[in-house]
Amino acid sequence: MELGGFLYGFYERRLLRELTGGRIPKHIGVMVDGNRRWAKQFNAPTSQGHQAGADKIHEFLGWCQELGVKVVTLYMLSTDNMSRSSEELDLLMGIIANTLDRLDEDANISVNAMGAPELLPDYLAERLNKLTARTPVQEKIHVNVAVGYGGRREIVDAVRELLHDAVAKGSDISALADSLTVDDISRFLYTRGQPDPDLVIRTSGEQRLSGFLMWQSAYSEFYFCEALWPAFRKVDFLRALRDYAGRQRRFGT
């Protein structure tokens, strides 16, 4: 084993020991950012960066299962990304579809689709519907797949569904407006019934939310990592968890 590999393994084991018995987030949101820049570093086609990013997703989910993380939300394609060239989008959609097929191979993973299916090709929307409807054999981790997702749109969709539900029940809209609570809206979010993210990680050095889980992340802890997503290593993940474990969560108090 080369010296670099030995030191890397030693550091990884040390980080794992530090986390033993510590706080592990129940729900982690991840902005998988930097695929295109990673490809550019190697003078590789953009599609190669997206494929490397997809491969990293499966590796990352394995780390989460090892450490007992119960829910992961992956920001894979935003509504803003839909303005990219048709050539890049076609390739990216195909890679996302293959990623979903690989998730479908694991009977212990449950999947929830987040986003606007009408913005996606039929074959991709159908794969998402199939995965969402599937019942895992023994759920080890729940994965929210944000494809064609926008945080503002999610809130609008939640309010729209809330109003349609009220009308269907014969409720008075004026009375609903007077009694409306945060929990009322939360019941109609894409992540309904799930805990809000404890930790949100963004790779590639960018330090903004870009519309990701705007409602749910009100009291989340944030961790911004310089590594581009395809180059994100287990030690980078363990550092994020160590940083999270050392914070005092205040929830607005």
Side-chain angles (χ1 to χ4, degrees):
M1 181 185 293
E2 295 182 0
L3 179 60
F6 172 79
L7 293 175
Y8 175 89
F10 175 80
Y11 183 45
E12 182 181 307
R13 289 189 295 273
R14 193 183 82 179
L15 286 171
L16 280 169
R17 285 196 300 272
E18 290 178 8
L19 288 171
T20 301
R23 289 188 301 143
I24 298 295
K26 293 183 179 67
H27 181 176
I28 297 179
V30 189
M31 307 177 73
V32 295
D33 193 18
N35 295 339
R36 295 199 293 178
R37 275 171 281 173
W38 181 87
K40 189 175 182 180
Q41 285 182 347
F42 297 98
N43 294 316
T46 300
S47 59
Q48 188 170 325
H50 289 314
Q51 184 58 60
D55 293 338
K56 182 62 63 174
I57 283 173
H58 299 286
E59 189 177 3
F60 177 78
L61 292 177
W63 301 338
C64 288
Q65 290 189 60
E66 288 174 17
L67 292 162
V69 177
K70 299 303 182 183
V71 183
V72 173
T73 299
L74 300 166
Y75 200 9
M76 297 177 66
L77 181 71
S78 72
T79 49
D80 294 332
N81 294 153
M82 303 299 290
S83 62
R84 294 179 180 177
S85 70
S86 58
E87 180 182 5
E88 180 180 352
L89 279 177
D90 287 343
L91 290 168
L92 179 55
M93 297 289 189
I95 290 170
I96 291 174
N98 290 335
T99 301
L100 297 177
D101 287 342
R102 289 178 65 183
L103 290 176
D104 196 19
E105 293 172 0
D106 191 330
N108 296 319
I109 290 179
S110 63
V111 177
N112 176 52
M114 296 173 52
E118 67 272 16
L119 299 179
L120 307 176
D122 290 342
Y123 72 88
L124 185 54
E126 289 169 3
R127 276 178 169 83
L128 285 166
N129 287 334
K130 175 187 172 185
L131 270 176
T132 299
R134 189 194 66 172
T135 301
V137 175
Q138 182 181 358
E139 186 182 74
K140 292 184 178 179
I141 191 168
H142 179 84
V143 181
N144 296 309
V145 180
V147 180
Y149 171 87
R152 288 178 174 175
R153 178 170 183 143
E154 178 181 16
I155 295 170
V156 170
D157 283 349
V159 173
R160 182 182 293 116
E161 191 174 351
L162 168 66
L163 293 174
H164 282 311
D165 181 70
V167 170
K169 292 177 178 177
S171 301
D172 180 78
I173 299 301
S174 178
L176 173 64
D178 291 337
S179 64
L180 189 65
T181 67
V182 168
D183 289 339
D184 290 330
I185 294 177
S186 294
R187 288 191 299 110
F188 292 95
L189 295 172
Y190 299 152
T191 56
R192 66 194 71 179
Q194 301 177 32
D196 288 338
D198 303 296
L199 174 65
V200 175
I201 298 172
R202 181 166 189 165
T203 57
S204 84
E206 302 293 346
Q207 298 189 25
R208 59 181 183 273
L209 277 181
S210 299
F212 184 49
L213 300 176
M214 294 171 61
W215 182 281
Q216 299 91 328
S217 65
Y219 298 112
S220 301
E221 300 296 324
F222 294 90
Y223 186 86
F224 300 103
C225 177
E226 292 294 327
L228 302 176
W229 175 247
F232 188 70
R233 304 165 300 170
K234 190 173 184 179
V235 292
D236 297 315
F237 181 45
L238 295 175
R239 284 171 178 159
L241 295 182
R242 180 180 63 181
D243 184 82
Y244 168 81
R247 297 185 190 182
Q248 182 179 358
R249 303 193 69 191
R250 299 182 182 277
F251 299 97
T253 59

